[in-house]
Amino acid sequence: MPPTLSTAEARILALMERHPPGFDLGLERMERLLAALNDPHKRLPPVIHVAGTNGKGSTVAFCRAIAESAGLRVHVDTSPHLVRWHERFRIAGTLVDDDVLGDALERVDAANGEEPITVFELLTVVAFLLFAEHPADLCLIEVGLGGRLDCTNVIEDSAVSVITPVSKDHEAFLGDTPAKIAFEKAGIIKRRGQVVIAPQEPSALATIEQQAARQGASVVRAGEHYFAQVEAGRLLVETDDQLYDLPLPRLAGPHQIENAATAVMAMRTFARVTGTSIPHVAMEAGLRTADWPARMQPLSRGALLALLPEGSDLWLDGGHNPAAARRACEFLADLEEREPKPLVLIAGMLNTKDTTRYFEPFADLVRRVITVPVPSSDAGVPPDDLAETAKAVGLDATTAADVGGALTMIAQSENVPVRVLICGSLYLAGTVLALNGTPPT
């Protein structure tokens, strides 16, 4: 076992040797194990449950920042982690202590015995156990895959369900159309519950609204119950009875406008149904301070930036589907208009992703692509194959052995400041943050 592994991380790796690491949609295994632990999922603080294809993590990050700015204690369960497994479990605002995580893992493993279960399910049970045993005012829980049959959906009640934008991804599990995928996402909506719906394409929206109606849920929908726009360098979020005049979100990219607005409406709805105070000043502070690594994240310091020509800028984005690529391109095109620099992609992707459609939006924007392995996954596309995909959509592409080698290649071939985006995989993003010396905290 590598000496850098903590006790809890070593225990998780041992679990992965005994249980499959992927997804196996269904709730029966979760219900069995939770019952053996006295149903901690029924003893959680009020929950905001977030599903969607894109923007889940950013919306959770905005909600957390707003809630903490209002003085609330917040538990957060997200996935995947980038550098350390502990990132998945934030207990009342702080990443879980290794001893606390190790103890919870031991108890969950003992309760499960040798019954069949996935590692993701085990870790979700760990999150529920930790959240039930530590006081907080709010739980933010991100769906792992889909929603209806995702293991987080054993939660019987939630203060607010949130559906962020739905697009094609994980089609083998969720279906091959936005409507089918939206049906799975909308499965988190609870009977007579509250649901905030971010902007959606028409077929997805129709499906989500049908599911909400079947559940008798109260709907807060973008474009009907609230409107968001940027005006004079401010984010305006308008409802029928209130106008939120807010700073632009700290997180980069035009898509973060809608994610921030979704979070504002989620926290407004949470405050109304729970009787919690979320003052306007907390909304402002939350948008200014929200942090969500590897989502159009500027790497303004660290070991990797130092490899590029002086004056260059380095960005990191773990988005891995065509919608994420389009959003990255919107941001980069705007940045290019304001501050022109040659743009180079360093890309690594998994073989479960639509690599062709991911590269297509970059065709008229990027000088070249350097493809690299994804070292923390055995499902990475070989760099030679990924380069051929990029070439097929009209991009100039070559390969490198790793990210450091790619950055060195760029520095050797460019004598002016450049803009580099490392992209295509959250697994690759985690490796980059570790190499750069800037892991999430």
Side-chain angles (χ1 to χ4, degrees):
M1 199 70 68
T4 55
L5 284 179
S6 71
T7 301
E9 289 170 317
R11 189 177 292 278
I12 291 171
L13 292 186
L15 288 174
M16 293 177 71
E17 293 178 359
R18 292 165 39 218
H19 300 286
F23 291 94
D24 188 356
L25 298 181
L27 304 180
E28 298 82 4
R29 295 174 299 277
M30 287 288 294
E31 290 167 344
R32 169 189 54 75
L33 180 52
L34 288 163
L37 291 161
N38 194 28
D39 291 326
H41 64 303
K42 298 179 182 180
R43 296 180 276 114
L44 301 178
V47 170
I48 295 179
H49 198 189
V50 183
T53 306
N54 295 295
K56 296 193 301 292
S58 298
T59 300
V60 167
F62 283 124
C63 285
R64 175 193 157 211
I66 291 168
E68 291 182 343
S69 296
L72 303 184
R73 298 166 298 174
V74 186
H75 295 332
V76 186
D77 176 34
T78 58
S79 63
H81 64 282
L82 294 171
V83 179
R84 301 187 69 210
W85 291 88
H86 304 66
E87 297 164 31
R88 297 177 179 233
F89 314 96
R90 192 171 291 273
I91 310 297
T94 304
L95 294 186
V96 64
D97 178 81
D98 193 70
D99 290 341
V100 173
L101 177 56
D103 173 71
L105 286 163
E106 185 175 3
R107 286 185 285 149
V108 169
D109 186 27
N112 184 71
E114 293 304 318
E115 292 292 328
I117 198 165
T118 67
V119 171
F120 186 77
E121 289 169 316
L122 288 170
L123 296 179
T124 302
V125 173
V126 166
F128 291 157
L129 188 64
L130 291 169
F131 293 173
E133 293 178 345
H134 293 81
D137 304 296
L138 165 63
C139 286
L140 290 165
I141 296 178
E142 179 186 350
V143 165
L145 179 65
R148 181 174 64 94
L149 297 176
D150 182 73
C151 62
T152 64
N153 206 33
V154 292
I155 299 167
E156 296 177 351
D157 190 23
S158 55
V160 187
S161 301
V162 179
I163 313 293
T164 67
V166 171
S167 64
K168 288 187 177 182
D169 200 7
H170 299 293
E171 294 170 51
F173 290 97
L174 305 179
D176 58 359
T177 68
K180 290 177 182 177
I181 296 168
F183 175 79
E184 297 299 328
K185 308 289 186 183
I188 70 166
I189 299 172
K190 304 307 181 196
R191 185 69 183 164
R192 291 186 293 276
Q194 308 285 325
V195 57
V196 174
I197 305 175
Q200 306 287 346
E201 61 175 82
S203 63
L205 176 61
T207 300
I208 295 167
E209 290 196 312
Q210 288 168 5
Q211 293 304 107
R214 289 191 182 104
Q215 294 286 47
S218 298
V219 172
V220 178
R221 177 167 77 80
E224 180 177 352
H225 303 104
Y226 73 95
F227 301 85
Q229 63 179 340
V230 175
E231 189 173 305
R234 301 281 291 178
L235 170 58
L236 305 182
V237 183
E238 185 176 2
T239 72
D240 59 351
D241 64 353
Q242 190 165 1
L243 175 65
Y244 293 94
D245 184 351
L246 300 165
L248 294 181
R250 179 188 180 199
L251 302 185
H255 58 289
Q256 296 296 359
I257 297 299
E258 66 184 39
N259 292 335
T262 302
V264 166
M265 296 311 299
M267 294 310 301
R268 168 188 160 101
T269 305
F270 175 83
R272 179 170 54 81
V273 299
T274 63
T276 305
S277 175
I278 308 287
H280 192 282
V281 67
M283 299 282 194
E284 292 182 341
L287 268 56
R288 286 196 188 100
T289 60
D291 180 50
W292 192 231
R295 281 74 173 181
M296 288 312 301
Q297 178 186 357
L299 299 181
S300 55
R301 61 183 178 85
L304 296 180
L305 181 62
L307 298 176
L308 291 173
E310 187 175 352
S312 298
D313 51 276
L314 181 60
W315 295 83
L316 177 64
D317 187 57
H320 46 245
N321 57 41
R326 289 192 296 271
R327 291 181 171 191
C329 285
E330 288 176 15
F331 171 72
L332 292 167
D334 179 67
L335 199 57
E336 171 67 15
E337 188 173 326
R338 290 184 283 114
E339 187 183 352
K341 289 179 183 177
L343 175 62
V344 181
L345 297 190
I346 299 175
M349 299 189 71
L350 300 188
N351 57 24
T352 56
K353 305 305 176 184
D354 188 339
T355 55
T356 298
R357 290 180 60 226
Y358 179 85
F359 280 127
E360 285 175 345
F362 292 103
D364 297 323
L365 187 63
V366 173
R367 173 172 291 195
R368 63 174 167 150
V369 178
I370 303 174
T371 60
V372 296
V374 181
S376 55
S377 173
D378 57 7
V381 178
D384 286 338
D385 294 348
L386 193 59
E388 289 303 314
T389 300
K391 290 176 183 177
V393 302
L395 290 162
D396 178 13
T398 187
T399 67
D402 52 36
V403 169
L407 291 167
T408 300
M409 287 172 59
I410 295 168
Q412 290 173 343
S413 62
E414 302 286 349
N415 56 9
V416 296
V418 294
R419 177 168 293 123
V420 177
L421 173 66
I422 305 173
C423 61
S425 168
L426 282 170
Y427 292 94
L428 178 63
T431 299
V432 167
L433 290 173
L435 288 172
N436 197 50
T438 53
T441 56

